[in-house]
Short mmCIF file of all heavy atoms in Angstrom, two decimals:
data_model
loop_
_atom_site.label_atom_id
_atom_site.label_comp_id
_atom_site.label_asym_id
_atom_site.label_seq_id
_atom_site.Cartn_x
_atom_site.Cartn_y
_atom_site.Cartn_z
N MET A 1 77.29 156.56 70.70
CA MET A 1 76.05 156.24 71.43
C MET A 1 76.04 154.76 71.82
O MET A 1 76.16 153.90 70.96
CB MET A 1 74.86 156.56 70.53
CG MET A 1 73.54 156.65 71.31
SD MET A 1 73.57 158.07 72.44
CE MET A 1 72.01 157.82 73.24
N PRO A 2 75.94 154.45 73.11
CA PRO A 2 75.89 153.04 73.52
C PRO A 2 74.57 152.38 73.11
O PRO A 2 73.55 153.05 73.00
CB PRO A 2 76.03 153.10 75.04
CG PRO A 2 75.60 154.46 75.42
CD PRO A 2 75.85 155.35 74.25
N VAL A 3 74.64 151.10 72.90
CA VAL A 3 73.43 150.36 72.57
C VAL A 3 73.17 149.30 73.63
O VAL A 3 74.07 148.88 74.35
CB VAL A 3 73.53 149.68 71.18
CG1 VAL A 3 73.57 150.70 70.07
CG2 VAL A 3 74.70 148.74 71.12
N CYS A 4 71.92 148.86 73.70
CA CYS A 4 71.49 147.88 74.69
C CYS A 4 72.16 146.53 74.44
O CYS A 4 72.25 146.07 73.31
CB CYS A 4 69.97 147.74 74.62
SG CYS A 4 69.34 146.48 75.72
N PHE A 5 72.63 145.90 75.51
CA PHE A 5 73.29 144.60 75.37
C PHE A 5 72.28 143.47 75.25
O PHE A 5 72.62 142.36 74.88
CB PHE A 5 74.22 144.35 76.56
CG PHE A 5 75.31 145.38 76.65
CD1 PHE A 5 75.34 146.28 77.68
CD2 PHE A 5 76.28 145.43 75.67
CE1 PHE A 5 76.34 147.25 77.75
CE2 PHE A 5 77.29 146.38 75.73
CZ PHE A 5 77.32 147.29 76.77
N GLU A 6 71.05 143.76 75.60
CA GLU A 6 70.00 142.74 75.51
C GLU A 6 69.41 142.69 74.11
O GLU A 6 69.28 141.63 73.51
CB GLU A 6 68.89 143.02 76.52
CG GLU A 6 69.31 142.95 77.97
CD GLU A 6 69.72 141.54 78.37
OE1 GLU A 6 69.21 140.57 77.80
OE2 GLU A 6 70.57 141.43 79.27
N CYS A 7 69.01 143.86 73.60
CA CYS A 7 68.27 143.86 72.34
C CYS A 7 68.92 144.71 71.26
O CYS A 7 68.47 144.72 70.13
CB CYS A 7 66.83 144.32 72.58
SG CYS A 7 66.70 146.08 72.94
N GLY A 8 70.02 145.43 71.61
CA GLY A 8 70.68 146.27 70.61
C GLY A 8 69.97 147.58 70.35
O GLY A 8 70.31 148.29 69.42
N GLY A 9 68.98 147.89 71.17
CA GLY A 9 68.24 149.13 71.00
C GLY A 9 69.03 150.33 71.48
O GLY A 9 70.11 150.21 72.07
N LYS A 10 68.49 151.50 71.22
CA LYS A 10 69.18 152.73 71.58
C LYS A 10 69.05 152.98 73.08
O LYS A 10 67.99 152.82 73.66
CB LYS A 10 68.56 153.90 70.81
CG LYS A 10 69.55 155.03 70.59
CD LYS A 10 69.01 156.02 69.57
CE LYS A 10 68.20 157.12 70.24
NZ LYS A 10 67.60 158.07 69.29
N LEU A 11 70.17 153.37 73.70
CA LEU A 11 70.14 153.71 75.12
C LEU A 11 70.04 155.21 75.30
O LEU A 11 70.74 155.97 74.64
CB LEU A 11 71.41 153.21 75.81
CG LEU A 11 71.59 151.70 75.92
CD1 LEU A 11 72.88 151.39 76.67
CD2 LEU A 11 70.42 151.07 76.64
N VAL A 12 69.15 155.61 76.16
CA VAL A 12 68.96 157.03 76.41
C VAL A 12 69.45 157.35 77.82
O VAL A 12 69.09 156.67 78.78
CB VAL A 12 67.46 157.40 76.28
CG1 VAL A 12 67.27 158.90 76.51
CG2 VAL A 12 66.94 157.00 74.91
N TYR A 13 70.30 158.37 77.92
CA TYR A 13 70.86 158.73 79.21
C TYR A 13 69.90 159.59 80.00
O TYR A 13 69.34 160.56 79.49
CB TYR A 13 72.18 159.47 78.99
CG TYR A 13 72.92 159.75 80.27
CD1 TYR A 13 73.38 158.70 81.04
CD2 TYR A 13 73.16 161.05 80.69
CE1 TYR A 13 74.07 158.93 82.22
CE2 TYR A 13 73.85 161.30 81.87
CZ TYR A 13 74.30 160.23 82.63
OH TYR A 13 74.99 160.47 83.79
N ASP A 14 69.70 159.21 81.25
CA ASP A 14 68.86 159.99 82.15
C ASP A 14 69.76 160.72 83.13
O ASP A 14 70.41 160.09 83.96
CB ASP A 14 67.88 159.05 82.88
CG ASP A 14 66.87 159.84 83.71
OD1 ASP A 14 67.16 161.01 84.06
OD2 ASP A 14 65.80 159.28 83.99
N ARG A 15 69.81 162.03 83.01
CA ARG A 15 70.74 162.79 83.83
C ARG A 15 70.36 162.74 85.31
O ARG A 15 71.21 162.82 86.18
CB ARG A 15 70.80 164.24 83.34
CG ARG A 15 72.21 164.60 82.88
CD ARG A 15 72.26 165.99 82.31
NE ARG A 15 71.82 166.00 80.92
CZ ARG A 15 71.71 167.10 80.18
NH1 ARG A 15 71.99 168.28 80.71
NH2 ARG A 15 71.34 167.04 78.93
N GLU A 16 69.10 162.64 85.59
CA GLU A 16 68.66 162.65 86.99
C GLU A 16 69.08 161.41 87.74
O GLU A 16 69.59 161.48 88.86
CB GLU A 16 67.14 162.80 87.05
CG GLU A 16 66.73 164.26 87.25
CD GLU A 16 65.24 164.45 87.14
OE1 GLU A 16 64.51 163.69 87.81
OE2 GLU A 16 64.80 165.32 86.37
N THR A 17 68.89 160.26 87.12
CA THR A 17 69.24 159.02 87.81
C THR A 17 70.63 158.54 87.41
O THR A 17 71.13 157.56 87.94
CB THR A 17 68.22 157.91 87.47
OG1 THR A 17 68.16 157.75 86.05
CG2 THR A 17 66.84 158.26 87.98
N LYS A 18 71.27 159.24 86.46
CA LYS A 18 72.60 158.89 85.97
C LYS A 18 72.65 157.45 85.44
O LYS A 18 73.60 156.72 85.66
CB LYS A 18 73.66 159.06 87.06
CG LYS A 18 73.89 160.53 87.45
CD LYS A 18 75.20 160.63 88.23
CE LYS A 18 75.58 162.08 88.50
NZ LYS A 18 74.73 162.71 89.54
N THR A 19 71.60 157.04 84.78
CA THR A 19 71.57 155.71 84.19
C THR A 19 71.15 155.81 82.73
O THR A 19 70.56 156.80 82.30
CB THR A 19 70.56 154.78 84.91
OG1 THR A 19 69.28 155.40 84.90
CG2 THR A 19 70.98 154.48 86.33
N TYR A 20 71.47 154.75 82.01
CA TYR A 20 71.03 154.63 80.63
C TYR A 20 69.84 153.68 80.61
O TYR A 20 69.88 152.62 81.24
CB TYR A 20 72.14 154.03 79.77
CG TYR A 20 73.33 154.95 79.60
CD1 TYR A 20 74.37 154.93 80.53
CD2 TYR A 20 73.42 155.80 78.51
CE1 TYR A 20 75.48 155.76 80.37
CE2 TYR A 20 74.52 156.63 78.34
CZ TYR A 20 75.55 156.60 79.28
OH TYR A 20 76.63 157.41 79.12
N SER A 21 68.80 154.04 79.89
CA SER A 21 67.70 153.10 79.76
C SER A 21 67.44 152.83 78.29
O SER A 21 67.59 153.71 77.43
CB SER A 21 66.44 153.62 80.46
OG SER A 21 66.07 154.86 79.93
N CYS A 22 67.05 151.59 78.02
CA CYS A 22 66.88 151.14 76.65
C CYS A 22 65.50 151.53 76.13
O CYS A 22 64.49 151.34 76.81
CB CYS A 22 67.06 149.63 76.58
SG CYS A 22 66.70 148.96 74.96
N GLU A 23 65.48 152.06 74.90
CA GLU A 23 64.20 152.41 74.28
C GLU A 23 63.44 151.17 73.85
O GLU A 23 62.24 151.18 73.72
CB GLU A 23 64.45 153.29 73.06
CG GLU A 23 64.72 154.74 73.39
CD GLU A 23 64.77 155.60 72.13
OE1 GLU A 23 65.03 155.04 71.05
OE2 GLU A 23 64.57 156.82 72.25
N GLY A 24 64.19 150.10 73.59
CA GLY A 24 63.56 148.89 73.07
C GLY A 24 62.94 148.02 74.14
O GLY A 24 61.76 147.70 74.10
N CYS A 25 63.76 147.61 75.14
CA CYS A 25 63.27 146.64 76.11
C CYS A 25 63.16 147.20 77.52
O CYS A 25 62.69 146.52 78.42
CB CYS A 25 64.16 145.39 76.11
SG CYS A 25 65.82 145.70 76.73
N GLY A 26 63.64 148.42 77.73
CA GLY A 26 63.49 149.04 79.03
C GLY A 26 64.57 148.68 80.04
O GLY A 26 64.48 149.07 81.20
N SER A 27 65.60 147.94 79.62
CA SER A 27 66.70 147.63 80.52
C SER A 27 67.42 148.91 80.92
O SER A 27 67.50 149.84 80.12
CB SER A 27 67.71 146.70 79.84
OG SER A 27 67.12 145.48 79.52
N THR A 28 67.92 148.95 82.14
CA THR A 28 68.69 150.12 82.56
C THR A 28 70.11 149.72 82.92
O THR A 28 70.36 148.63 83.43
CB THR A 28 68.03 150.81 83.78
OG1 THR A 28 67.87 149.85 84.82
CG2 THR A 28 66.69 151.40 83.41
N TYR A 29 71.03 150.60 82.62
CA TYR A 29 72.44 150.37 82.90
C TYR A 29 73.01 151.64 83.50
O TYR A 29 72.63 152.73 83.11
CB TYR A 29 73.22 150.07 81.62
CG TYR A 29 72.69 148.94 80.80
CD1 TYR A 29 71.80 149.18 79.76
CD2 TYR A 29 73.10 147.64 81.04
CE1 TYR A 29 71.31 148.14 78.99
CE2 TYR A 29 72.62 146.60 80.28
CZ TYR A 29 71.73 146.85 79.26
OH TYR A 29 71.26 145.83 78.50
N ASN A 30 73.96 151.48 84.43
CA ASN A 30 74.75 152.65 84.80
C ASN A 30 76.07 152.57 84.05
O ASN A 30 76.35 151.59 83.37
CB ASN A 30 74.94 152.73 86.33
CG ASN A 30 75.61 151.51 86.90
OD1 ASN A 30 76.48 150.92 86.26
ND2 ASN A 30 75.23 151.13 88.09
N SER A 31 76.89 153.61 84.19
CA SER A 31 78.10 153.65 83.37
C SER A 31 79.06 152.53 83.73
O SER A 31 79.82 152.05 82.89
CB SER A 31 78.78 155.01 83.48
OG SER A 31 78.71 155.51 84.78
N GLN A 32 79.01 152.09 84.99
CA GLN A 32 79.87 150.98 85.39
C GLN A 32 79.46 149.70 84.67
O GLN A 32 80.30 148.95 84.18
CB GLN A 32 79.78 150.79 86.92
CG GLN A 32 80.73 149.74 87.47
CD GLN A 32 82.19 150.11 87.24
OE1 GLN A 32 82.54 151.28 87.19
NE2 GLN A 32 83.04 149.12 87.08
N ASP A 33 78.16 149.46 84.60
CA ASP A 33 77.65 148.29 83.87
C ASP A 33 78.15 148.30 82.43
O ASP A 33 78.57 147.28 81.90
CB ASP A 33 76.12 148.31 83.83
CG ASP A 33 75.50 148.01 85.18
OD1 ASP A 33 76.18 147.38 86.00
OD2 ASP A 33 74.35 148.42 85.40
N LEU A 34 78.07 149.48 81.83
CA LEU A 34 78.47 149.60 80.42
C LEU A 34 79.94 149.25 80.25
O LEU A 34 80.32 148.55 79.32
CB LEU A 34 78.20 151.00 79.90
CG LEU A 34 76.74 151.38 79.71
CD1 LEU A 34 76.63 152.83 79.27
CD2 LEU A 34 76.06 150.48 78.70
N LEU A 35 80.77 149.72 81.17
CA LEU A 35 82.20 149.45 81.09
C LEU A 35 82.48 147.96 81.23
O LEU A 35 83.23 147.36 80.47
CB LEU A 35 82.95 150.21 82.19
CG LEU A 35 83.32 151.65 81.89
CD1 LEU A 35 84.00 152.27 83.10
CD2 LEU A 35 84.24 151.72 80.69
N VAL A 36 81.85 147.36 82.24
CA VAL A 36 82.06 145.94 82.51
C VAL A 36 81.61 145.10 81.32
O VAL A 36 82.31 144.19 80.87
CB VAL A 36 81.29 145.51 83.78
CG1 VAL A 36 81.29 144.00 83.93
CG2 VAL A 36 81.91 146.16 85.01
N GLU A 37 80.45 145.46 80.80
CA GLU A 37 79.89 144.71 79.68
C GLU A 37 80.76 144.83 78.44
O GLU A 37 80.98 143.86 77.72
CB GLU A 37 78.47 145.24 79.42
CG GLU A 37 77.55 144.28 78.72
CD GLU A 37 77.39 142.96 79.45
OE1 GLU A 37 77.24 142.96 80.69
OE2 GLU A 37 77.42 141.92 78.77
N ARG A 38 81.27 146.03 78.22
CA ARG A 38 82.12 146.25 77.05
C ARG A 38 83.39 145.41 77.17
O ARG A 38 83.85 144.81 76.21
CB ARG A 38 82.48 147.73 76.96
CG ARG A 38 82.97 148.13 75.58
CD ARG A 38 83.18 149.62 75.50
NE ARG A 38 81.95 150.37 75.76
CZ ARG A 38 81.91 151.66 76.04
NH1 ARG A 38 83.02 152.35 76.11
NH2 ARG A 38 80.77 152.28 76.26
N GLU A 39 83.95 145.36 78.37
CA GLU A 39 85.16 144.59 78.60
C GLU A 39 84.91 143.10 78.37
O GLU A 39 85.72 142.41 77.77
CB GLU A 39 85.63 144.81 80.03
CG GLU A 39 87.07 144.43 80.26
CD GLU A 39 87.69 145.30 81.34
OE1 GLU A 39 87.63 146.53 81.20
OE2 GLU A 39 88.18 144.74 82.31
N LYS A 40 83.76 142.63 78.86
CA LYS A 40 83.40 141.22 78.70
C LYS A 40 83.32 140.86 77.22
O LYS A 40 83.81 139.84 76.78
CB LYS A 40 82.05 140.94 79.37
CG LYS A 40 82.19 140.28 80.73
CD LYS A 40 80.89 139.69 81.18
CE LYS A 40 80.07 140.70 81.96
NZ LYS A 40 78.75 140.20 82.36
N ARG A 41 82.67 141.75 76.46
CA ARG A 41 82.52 141.50 75.03
C ARG A 41 83.88 141.46 74.35
O ARG A 41 84.15 140.62 73.51
CB ARG A 41 81.70 142.61 74.38
CG ARG A 41 80.35 142.75 74.99
CD ARG A 41 79.32 142.98 73.94
NE ARG A 41 78.11 142.32 74.37
CZ ARG A 41 77.04 142.16 73.61
NH1 ARG A 41 77.04 142.60 72.39
NH2 ARG A 41 75.99 141.54 74.06
N PHE A 42 84.74 142.39 74.74
CA PHE A 42 86.06 142.48 74.14
C PHE A 42 86.84 141.19 74.43
O PHE A 42 87.45 140.62 73.53
CB PHE A 42 86.80 143.68 74.72
CG PHE A 42 88.18 143.85 74.16
CD1 PHE A 42 88.37 144.41 72.90
CD2 PHE A 42 89.28 143.44 74.88
CE1 PHE A 42 89.63 144.55 72.38
CE2 PHE A 42 90.56 143.58 74.37
CZ PHE A 42 90.73 144.13 73.12
N ASN A 43 86.78 140.73 75.67
CA ASN A 43 87.50 139.51 76.04
C ASN A 43 86.98 138.31 75.28
O ASN A 43 87.75 137.44 74.87
CB ASN A 43 87.38 139.26 77.54
CG ASN A 43 88.26 140.21 78.34
OD1 ASN A 43 89.22 140.77 77.80
ND2 ASN A 43 87.95 140.38 79.59
N ARG A 44 85.67 138.26 75.11
CA ARG A 44 85.07 137.13 74.41
C ARG A 44 85.56 137.09 72.96
O ARG A 44 85.93 136.06 72.44
CB ARG A 44 83.55 137.25 74.45
CG ARG A 44 82.86 135.89 74.46
CD ARG A 44 81.38 136.04 74.61
NE ARG A 44 81.02 136.79 75.82
CZ ARG A 44 79.91 137.52 75.94
NH1 ARG A 44 79.08 137.62 74.94
NH2 ARG A 44 79.64 138.15 77.06
N LYS A 45 85.61 138.27 72.34
CA LYS A 45 86.06 138.35 70.96
C LYS A 45 87.52 137.91 70.87
O LYS A 45 87.92 137.19 69.97
CB LYS A 45 85.90 139.79 70.47
CG LYS A 45 85.53 139.88 69.00
CD LYS A 45 85.46 141.33 68.57
CE LYS A 45 84.01 141.82 68.49
NZ LYS A 45 83.98 143.26 68.13
N PHE A 46 88.30 138.36 71.85
CA PHE A 46 89.72 138.04 71.90
C PHE A 46 89.92 136.52 72.01
O PHE A 46 90.75 135.95 71.31
CB PHE A 46 90.34 138.76 73.09
CG PHE A 46 91.82 138.60 73.18
CD1 PHE A 46 92.64 139.26 72.28
CD2 PHE A 46 92.39 137.82 74.16
CE1 PHE A 46 94.01 139.13 72.37
CE2 PHE A 46 93.76 137.67 74.26
CZ PHE A 46 94.57 138.33 73.36
N GLU A 47 89.14 135.89 72.86
CA GLU A 47 89.24 134.44 73.04
C GLU A 47 88.89 133.70 71.76
O GLU A 47 89.53 132.73 71.39
CB GLU A 47 88.32 133.98 74.17
CG GLU A 47 88.80 134.33 75.56
CD GLU A 47 90.15 133.70 75.89
OE1 GLU A 47 90.35 132.52 75.57
OE2 GLU A 47 91.00 134.40 76.46
N GLU A 48 87.86 134.19 71.08
CA GLU A 48 87.45 133.55 69.83
C GLU A 48 88.54 133.63 68.78
O GLU A 48 88.82 132.67 68.07
CB GLU A 48 86.18 134.22 69.30
CG GLU A 48 84.92 133.58 69.84
CD GLU A 48 83.69 134.42 69.56
OE1 GLU A 48 83.65 135.11 68.54
OE2 GLU A 48 82.76 134.36 70.39
N GLU A 49 89.17 134.81 68.71
CA GLU A 49 90.26 135.00 67.76
C GLU A 49 91.40 134.04 68.06
O GLU A 49 91.98 133.45 67.16
CB GLU A 49 90.77 136.45 67.83
CG GLU A 49 89.85 137.45 67.18
CD GLU A 49 89.69 137.20 65.68
OE1 GLU A 49 90.71 136.96 65.01
OE2 GLU A 49 88.55 137.20 65.19
N LYS A 50 91.69 133.90 69.33
CA LYS A 50 92.78 133.03 69.75
C LYS A 50 92.48 131.58 69.35
O LYS A 50 93.34 130.87 68.87
CB LYS A 50 92.97 133.13 71.27
CG LYS A 50 94.41 133.35 71.63
CD LYS A 50 94.63 133.83 73.06
CE LYS A 50 93.95 133.01 74.11
NZ LYS A 50 94.25 133.51 75.48
N LYS A 51 91.24 131.19 69.57
CA LYS A 51 90.83 129.82 69.25
C LYS A 51 90.95 129.58 67.75
O LYS A 51 91.42 128.56 67.30
CB LYS A 51 89.38 129.59 69.72
CG LYS A 51 89.22 128.29 70.47
CD LYS A 51 87.79 128.11 70.92
CE LYS A 51 87.46 128.92 72.16
NZ LYS A 51 86.02 128.87 72.50
N LYS A 52 90.49 130.56 66.98
CA LYS A 52 90.53 130.45 65.52
C LYS A 52 91.97 130.31 65.04
O LYS A 52 92.28 129.51 64.18
CB LYS A 52 89.89 131.70 64.90
CG LYS A 52 88.71 131.37 63.99
CD LYS A 52 88.19 132.64 63.35
CE LYS A 52 87.08 133.28 64.16
NZ LYS A 52 86.74 134.63 63.67
N ARG A 53 92.84 131.13 65.64
CA ARG A 53 94.23 131.12 65.24
C ARG A 53 94.87 129.77 65.56
O ARG A 53 95.63 129.23 64.78
CB ARG A 53 94.99 132.25 65.95
CG ARG A 53 96.18 132.72 65.15
CD ARG A 53 96.76 133.99 65.74
NE ARG A 53 95.73 134.98 65.99
CZ ARG A 53 95.75 135.83 67.03
NH1 ARG A 53 96.72 135.79 67.89
NH2 ARG A 53 94.78 136.70 67.18
N ARG A 54 94.54 129.23 66.72
CA ARG A 54 95.12 127.95 67.11
C ARG A 54 94.69 126.86 66.13
O ARG A 54 95.47 126.02 65.74
CB ARG A 54 94.66 127.60 68.53
CG ARG A 54 95.65 126.70 69.22
CD ARG A 54 95.26 126.49 70.66
NE ARG A 54 95.11 127.75 71.40
CZ ARG A 54 94.24 127.94 72.40
NH1 ARG A 54 93.44 126.96 72.76
NH2 ARG A 54 94.17 129.08 73.01
N HIS A 55 93.45 126.92 65.73
CA HIS A 55 92.93 125.95 64.79
C HIS A 55 93.66 126.06 63.45
O HIS A 55 94.02 125.06 62.84
CB HIS A 55 91.43 126.19 64.60
CG HIS A 55 90.77 125.17 63.72
ND1 HIS A 55 90.66 123.85 64.09
CD2 HIS A 55 90.22 125.28 62.50
CE1 HIS A 55 90.05 123.20 63.11
NE2 HIS A 55 89.77 124.03 62.14
N GLN A 56 93.88 127.31 63.04
CA GLN A 56 94.57 127.56 61.78
C GLN A 56 95.99 127.01 61.84
O GLN A 56 96.46 126.35 60.90
CB GLN A 56 94.59 129.07 61.52
CG GLN A 56 95.19 129.47 60.18
CD GLN A 56 94.33 129.00 59.02
OE1 GLN A 56 93.12 128.86 59.15
NE2 GLN A 56 94.95 128.74 57.89
N GLU A 57 96.67 127.25 62.95
CA GLU A 57 98.03 126.75 63.11
C GLU A 57 98.07 125.23 63.07
O GLU A 57 98.96 124.63 62.48
CB GLU A 57 98.61 127.25 64.44
CG GLU A 57 99.26 128.61 64.30
CD GLU A 57 99.49 129.25 65.66
OE1 GLU A 57 99.52 128.50 66.67
OE2 GLU A 57 99.65 130.48 65.69
N TYR A 58 97.09 124.65 63.70
CA TYR A 58 97.03 123.20 63.70
C TYR A 58 96.84 122.66 62.28
O TYR A 58 97.50 121.71 61.87
CB TYR A 58 95.88 122.73 64.60
CG TYR A 58 95.65 121.24 64.53
CD1 TYR A 58 96.51 120.36 65.17
CD2 TYR A 58 94.58 120.73 63.79
CE1 TYR A 58 96.31 119.00 65.09
CE2 TYR A 58 94.39 119.37 63.70
CZ TYR A 58 95.25 118.50 64.35
OH TYR A 58 95.05 117.16 64.26
N LEU A 59 95.95 123.30 61.54
CA LEU A 59 95.70 122.88 60.16
C LEU A 59 96.97 122.97 59.32
O LEU A 59 97.29 122.06 58.55
CB LEU A 59 94.62 123.76 59.53
CG LEU A 59 93.18 123.29 59.67
CD1 LEU A 59 92.26 124.29 58.99
CD2 LEU A 59 92.99 121.91 59.06
N GLU A 60 97.69 124.07 59.50
CA GLU A 60 98.92 124.26 58.74
C GLU A 60 99.95 123.22 59.10
O GLU A 60 100.65 122.67 58.25
CB GLU A 60 99.47 125.68 58.99
CG GLU A 60 98.82 126.69 58.08
CD GLU A 60 99.05 128.12 58.54
OE1 GLU A 60 100.02 128.35 59.30
OE2 GLU A 60 98.26 129.00 58.15
N TRP A 61 100.03 122.94 60.37
CA TRP A 61 100.97 121.91 60.84
C TRP A 61 100.59 120.55 60.24
O TRP A 61 101.42 119.81 59.76
CB TRP A 61 100.93 121.85 62.37
CG TRP A 61 101.63 120.65 62.90
CD1 TRP A 61 102.97 120.51 63.07
CD2 TRP A 61 101.05 119.41 63.28
NE1 TRP A 61 103.26 119.26 63.55
CE2 TRP A 61 102.10 118.55 63.68
CE3 TRP A 61 99.72 118.94 63.32
CZ2 TRP A 61 101.86 117.25 64.12
CZ3 TRP A 61 99.49 117.65 63.77
CH2 TRP A 61 100.55 116.81 64.16
N TRP A 62 99.31 120.28 60.25
CA TRP A 62 98.82 118.99 59.78
C TRP A 62 99.12 118.84 58.28
O TRP A 62 99.58 117.80 57.83
CB TRP A 62 97.32 118.90 60.05
CG TRP A 62 96.74 117.56 59.76
CD1 TRP A 62 96.83 116.44 60.51
CD2 TRP A 62 95.97 117.21 58.60
NE1 TRP A 62 96.18 115.41 59.91
CE2 TRP A 62 95.65 115.84 58.74
CE3 TRP A 62 95.54 117.91 57.46
CZ2 TRP A 62 94.88 115.16 57.77
CZ3 TRP A 62 94.78 117.22 56.52
CH2 TRP A 62 94.47 115.88 56.68
N LEU A 63 98.85 119.93 57.54
CA LEU A 63 99.09 119.88 56.10
C LEU A 63 100.58 119.73 55.80
O LEU A 63 100.97 118.96 54.91
CB LEU A 63 98.56 121.15 55.44
CG LEU A 63 97.04 121.21 55.30
CD1 LEU A 63 96.60 122.60 54.83
CD2 LEU A 63 96.52 120.14 54.34
N SER A 64 101.42 120.42 56.54
CA SER A 64 102.84 120.37 56.25
C SER A 64 103.44 119.02 56.68
O SER A 64 104.43 118.57 56.13
CB SER A 64 103.57 121.52 56.92
OG SER A 64 103.47 121.37 58.33
N SER A 65 102.84 118.40 57.68
CA SER A 65 103.37 117.12 58.11
C SER A 65 103.01 115.99 57.16
O SER A 65 103.61 114.92 57.17
CB SER A 65 102.83 116.79 59.53
OG SER A 65 101.46 116.48 59.45
N LYS A 66 102.04 116.24 56.29
CA LYS A 66 101.61 115.22 55.35
C LYS A 66 102.55 115.11 54.15
O LYS A 66 102.66 114.07 53.54
CB LYS A 66 100.20 115.54 54.82
CG LYS A 66 99.12 115.44 55.89
CD LYS A 66 98.35 114.13 55.83
CE LYS A 66 97.41 114.08 54.63
NZ LYS A 66 96.61 112.85 54.65
N SER A 67 103.21 116.24 53.85
CA SER A 67 104.00 116.23 52.64
C SER A 67 105.43 115.74 52.88
O SER A 67 105.88 115.66 53.99
CB SER A 67 104.04 117.63 52.03
OG SER A 67 104.53 118.53 52.99
ZN1 ZN B 101 67.08 146.69 75.12
#
């Protein structure tokens, strides 16, 4: 079940309009929106992981260069 990207509320599918609407804040999404938004979130997480890893590598390098 998809959740709202604004408030995390439950999205209810409306078969007539082919859109999802949020029970919490009333935002509406179509399936394309959901796909795009999911991809954006995934990329953001990926970038954060990359940044964290780079920092970790730097720390290790720094520690090993001290000894
Ligand atoms: Zn919402």
Side-chain angles (χ1 to χ4, degrees):
M1 197 66 184
V3 293
C4 176
F5 298 112
E6 296 294 331
C7 71
K10 207 167 90 183
L11 292 181
V12 182
Y13 187 63
D14 186 337
R15 241 176 278 178
E16 264 173 50
T17 56
K18 293 195 173 73
T19 55
Y20 292 88
S21 58
C22 174
E23 280 188 337
C25 67
S27 297
T28 55
Y29 305 94
N30 58 34
S31 38
Q32 185 63 30
D33 289 336
L34 290 177
L35 276 178
V36 169
E37 203 57 43
R38 199 174 300 164
E39 198 149 305
K40 259 195 270 177
R41 302 222 146 190
F42 180 79
N43 285 339
R44 211 175 303 152
K45 215 183 258 177
F46 185 72
E47 286 299 317
E48 271 167 31
E49 285 297 314
K50 229 164 51 178
K51 227 179 281 173
K52 238 183 269 170
R53 207 170 311 145
R54 206 174 304 148
H55 184 66
Q56 184 67 28
E57 273 165 20
Y58 173 76
L59 270 180
E60 276 164 21
W61 168 81
W62 187 77
L63 284 171
S64 64
S65 71
K66 292 260 288 184
S67 56

